[in-house]
Amino acid sequence: MIVYKFGGASIATPERMQALLPIIKEAQHEVVVVVSAMGKTTNELEEIVQAACNNKAHAHELAHALESKHLDYASQILSPENYSEAKQILAPFFTELQWAIDDADRARFDYSYDQIVCIGELLSTRIFSLFLAQENLINTWIDARALIRTDDTWRDARVDVAFTTAQVKVQLTPLLGSGQRVITQGFIGATDNNQSVTLGREGSDYTAALLASMLGATSVSIWKDVSGLRNADPKLFPDTVQIPDITYHEVIEMAYYGAQVIHPKTIKPLHNAGIPLYVKCFLDRTERGTIIHANDTQIAYPPIIVWKREQVLLQVTTLDFSFITEDALSFLYDTFARLKVRVNMIQNAAISFIACLDNRPEKIEAVIKALSPTYKIRRNEDVSLLTIRHYTPEILFGMTMNKTILLEQKTRNTVQVVMM
Ligand code: ASP
Ligand code: MG
């Protein structure tokens, strides 16, 4: 039993989807295929969410364009008969999208986001499943919302592992045993009220890892448009190098600091179950790619650079000059935890506390509201957080020389800088 995950780039066009056939054919029959939304669909859906909260007519226009795009894609890859079947199969999702737009509301932004954004994966997997069937690759399409049960932390839902494992055993194991491939969505799930949720951007990797650990898979392969993990994002830096082998630990650190390579929650289930993760290139399936595993004997890493943008630095100072004691710290942490705000870096001094947070305006507002009775708050927007693992002084200097450094922290292995 193996798990394959295909990201948005691998199915961005009908030609790309077509080109995945040999990969699926060569895989053993017992395979769970986890698929993202096509190309940049999730970004487009995010725009629809914004519009749905401001201007519903515009949101419906955008939704209509998204619908045409998917139908056009399906018509290119499916025979006329299969295409007319696809139109019927996809119609309920377009309706679901219309309803979610009508129901969307700024006061419940994150909730509305999940109801709208989940549609991308539902559409892409349906089309993919029909295409594979057309090519005689027998498969069963599963709505991941019937498998992945979560809480209602919208846009970052926490999976109920016990419940989900039971569902996976009941629904997937028999199918795989009878030689059916399973096609399902990454990134989405549902609460016990059947409300859709998402697991955080790039969450399909996490879905693949969860399903693999629950099914006892022998490996997970993530198929990307690059030939493996690199030491920095090639879209941001010119001279990157490939990393052929890397430990779970190193990858979890990279992802945690914001590398967009793999969803941060992906590694834990794989590590706990001892399942290796292959990062492979769908453009050349013969390339070895990167292997992520437990064995850390003598891997010499290059400096690994993660640049996380859209950050906000909050400086919180006591109004009455009282110290930031352990009690105050525990209140501050408790506030972040209660408001489900992710803190990327912190530092405290006598009467102030500094936190670097993802720029999620509604969450930042909630934090400010909760803290302002006791603290004066200053914020710097548009800052970025640079993390370098295995850094050298030269690399650090090169990357920060023309910037204003607002905060810097170093350990033996890692340096982090908040800068603008
Ligand atoms: N489609 C989602 C995203 O773009 C999830 C994923 O690709 O993993 O973030
Ligand atoms: Mg993706």
Side-chain angles (χ1 to χ4, degrees):
M1 215 311 287
I2 57 171
V3 175
Y4 276 1
K5 180 253 165 171
F6 292 101
S10 69
I11 51 167
T13 60
E15 295 71 38
R16 284 244 166 124
M17 186 179 276
Q18 188 102 39
L20 300 181
L21 275 180
I23 297 179
I24 308 273
K25 279 190 184 145
E26 278 165 22
Q28 60 198 66
H29 280 228
E30 294 195 347
V31 57
V32 175
V33 181
V34 173
V35 186
S36 299
M38 289 166 174
K40 298 274 175 251
T41 302
T42 303
N43 295 358
E44 289 161 19
L45 286 162
E46 286 186 342
E47 266 179 56
I48 294 180
V49 182
Q50 291 291 352
C53 295
N54 296 321
N55 176 346
K56 297 226 186 269
H58 183 48
H60 283 295
E61 264 166 45
L62 294 173
H64 189 72
L66 192 95
E67 175 173 341
S68 307
K69 205 159 113 175
H70 281 81
L71 290 177
D72 189 46
Y73 186 119
S75 76
Q76 287 183 54
I77 199 150
L78 298 173
S79 69
E81 305 85 80
N82 292 336
Y83 173 61
S84 41
E85 191 195 343
K87 277 210 293 204
Q88 286 178 24
I89 289 179
L90 298 178
F93 299 125
F94 296 130
T95 309
E96 195 176 330
L97 177 57
Q98 309 286 344
W99 288 351
I101 291 172
D102 289 335
D103 184 50
D105 159 11
R106 178 144 312 274
R108 294 181 304 159
F109 185 87
D110 287 354
Y111 163 81
S112 305
Y113 178 105
D114 282 356
Q115 310 319 304
I116 291 175
V117 166
C118 70
I119 300 294
E121 270 65 15
L122 292 161
L123 297 173
S124 65
T125 50
R126 268 300 193 188
I127 296 172
F128 197 19
S129 162
L130 288 165
F131 171 62
L132 293 180
Q134 169 177 291
E135 305 300 317
N136 296 321
L137 294 169
I138 302 164
N139 69 87
T140 302
W141 179 90
I142 302 266
D143 187 332
R145 295 174 299 180
L147 292 175
I148 311 279
R149 167 67 62 85
T150 71
D151 72 358
D152 61 357
T153 310
W154 314 113
R155 299 179 69 181
D156 189 21
R158 314 282 143 101
V159 174
D160 177 341
V161 172
F163 187 94
T164 304
T165 305
Q167 287 307 308
V168 164
K169 297 240 156 89
V170 172
Q171 296 191 50
L172 298 195
T173 307
L175 286 172
L176 294 163
S178 68
Q180 296 252 345
R181 298 164 188 86
V182 169
I183 312 288
T184 193
Q185 309 79 45
F187 178 55
I188 70 172
T191 66
D192 54 4
N193 285 329
N194 282 325
Q195 288 166 315
S196 304
V197 298
T198 64
L199 307 176
R201 287 301 306 261
E202 302 303 320
S204 300
D205 298 341
Y206 176 42
T207 306
L210 273 179
L211 296 179
S213 72
M214 291 168 181
L215 287 161
T218 47
S219 70
V220 174
S221 302
I222 295 184
W223 295 87
K224 290 171 96 70
D225 55 354
V226 291
S227 55
L229 294 191
R230 306 191 76 80
N231 70 324
D233 182 348
K235 291 187 205 96
L236 301 175
F237 301 98
D239 305 313
T240 60
V241 292
Q242 183 163 332
I243 306 174
D245 288 273
I246 187 165
T247 60
Y248 296 119
H249 187 175
E250 193 63 39
V251 173
I252 208 168
E253 296 283 346
M254 277 172 83
Y256 177 80
Y257 291 127
Q260 307 256 290
V261 286
I262 286 171
H263 188 282
K265 291 185 187 164
T266 309
I267 300 301
K268 180 177 184 283
L270 298 180
H271 166 272
N272 292 176
I275 300 171
L277 173 60
Y278 302 107
V279 180
K280 301 270 291 175
C281 182
F282 60 79
L283 299 170
D284 181 359
R285 62 188 195 280
T286 60
E287 275 190 51
R288 177 182 183 276
T290 295
I291 306 180
I292 302 165
H293 48 67
N295 187 355
D296 66 352
T297 39
Q298 311 300 326
I299 302 180
Y301 294 110
I304 296 180
I305 301 164
V306 182
W307 191 26
K308 200 167 160 66
R309 290 179 290 181
E310 290 183 42
Q311 299 290 293
V312 171
L313 198 64
L314 277 194
Q315 178 164 11
V316 176
T317 310
T318 53
L319 287 171
D320 61 356
F321 257 55
S322 53
F323 287 123
I324 297 277
T325 56
E326 286 69 17
D327 283 349
L329 283 175
S330 120
F331 168 74
L332 289 164
Y333 277 114
D334 189 61
T335 305
F336 291 127
R338 188 168 48 79
L339 298 173
K340 296 178 175 155
V341 172
R342 162 85 189 269
V343 182
N344 295 321
M345 183 177 171
I346 49 153
Q347 186 154 305
N348 64 297
I351 60 162
S352 66
F353 174 91
I354 304 179
C356 181
L357 315 169
D358 290 344
N359 191 0
R360 297 268 297 272
E362 62 308 331
K363 296 216 167 186
I364 307 267
E365 289 310 326
V367 169
I368 292 178
K369 193 164 160 216
L371 300 182
S372 47
T374 355
Y375 298 93
K376 186 176 89 191
I377 296 153
R378 262 185 52 191
R379 66 169 135 175
N380 287 92
E381 304 216 354
D382 290 328
V383 303
S384 54
L385 172 62
L386 174 71
T387 303
I388 313 177
R389 308 253 309 151
H390 317 288
Y391 69 97
T392 60
E394 297 74 34
I395 291 264
L396 177 59
F397 176 75
M399 300 218 47
T400 54
M401 64 185 169
N402 294 320
K403 311 277 188 198
T404 307
I405 296 184
L406 302 173
L407 189 61
E408 179 172 318
Q409 281 177 7
K410 277 182 186 162
T411 64
R412 205 161 19 126
N413 238 327
T414 307
V415 59
Q416 289 198 281
V417 182
V418 177
M419 59 191 193
M420 57 194 283

